Amino acid sequence: MPDFEITIQVAQDRKVMAIELAALGRPSQRLILELNELDRLISELGNARSQMVSEQAQPDLESDETTISTVANAKWCIRVSPPAVALFAFNHPKFGPVGLMLPKDQITKIVSFLTDRFILQPTQSVEKH
């Protein structure tokens, strides 16, 4: 694939944004998107990324080498579908509403871990799960 530069700008009124792609030696292409169109593009890019990494090993989330896009003070919710799963969802400022489905055994492990660390042992823990 050719080298290219990408420029992203949000309009002052924050109603649209522009993506400009410039392949070296070619005229640039500019795409103007409203928020709903940007959300769709992010979703489609996520689908493409998912296909590209489908056969790769998942990153080691316990490693300090792994970069994690974190959120603080996000609006979140938990929806339960007993007895099998729960949905933990939150609004990620970069990606919009995202969530994960947790099966019962993982929920039990999380509740146990948090109970042990925050209720039974109110000291700081370096243990990762």
Side-chain angles (χ1 to χ4, degrees):
M1 298 196 106
D3 287 333
F4 69 93
E5 289 185 23
I6 185 169
T7 305
I8 298 174
Q9 296 176 320
V10 177
Q12 283 186 324
D13 66 4
R14 298 179 186 213
K15 294 187 181 205
V16 297
M17 59 85 60
I19 301 173
E20 190 167 346
L21 295 171
L24 296 180
R26 296 181 140 174
S28 65
Q29 300 292 317
R30 188 172 175 93
L31 181 62
I32 308 293
L33 300 172
E34 293 178 349
L35 182 59
N36 64 329
E37 295 166 323
L38 176 60
D39 285 343
R40 181 171 175 214
L41 177 60
I42 291 170
S43 178
E44 293 298 326
L45 289 171
N47 290 339
R49 185 184 189 287
S50 178
Q51 289 176 25
M52 293 173 77
V53 300
S54 66
E55 295 182 11
Q56 294 180 9
Q58 291 193 14
D60 179 4
L61 297 177
E62 294 185 18
S63 167
D64 290 335
E65 309 294 313
T66 302
T67 302
I68 299 173
S69 181
T70 59
V71 177
N73 300 318
K75 184 175 182 181
W76 59 273
C77 78
I78 297 175
R79 294 185 192 152
V80 203
S81 299
V85 297
L87 166 69
F88 175 68
F90 62 97
N91 188 43
H92 193 293
K94 291 183 180 180
F95 309 113
V98 294
L100 62 137
M101 298 295 288
L102 297 167
K104 184 178 180 179
D105 65 319
Q106 290 180 9
I107 294 166
T108 304
K109 188 184 268 186
I110 291 168
V111 169
S112 175
F113 175 80
L114 294 175
T115 300
D116 289 349
R117 296 310 177 270
F118 289 102
I119 295 174
L120 302 178
Q121 301 172 9
T123 58
Q124 196 172 27
S125 171
V126 295
E127 188 176 341
K128 297 177 183 178
H129 285 269

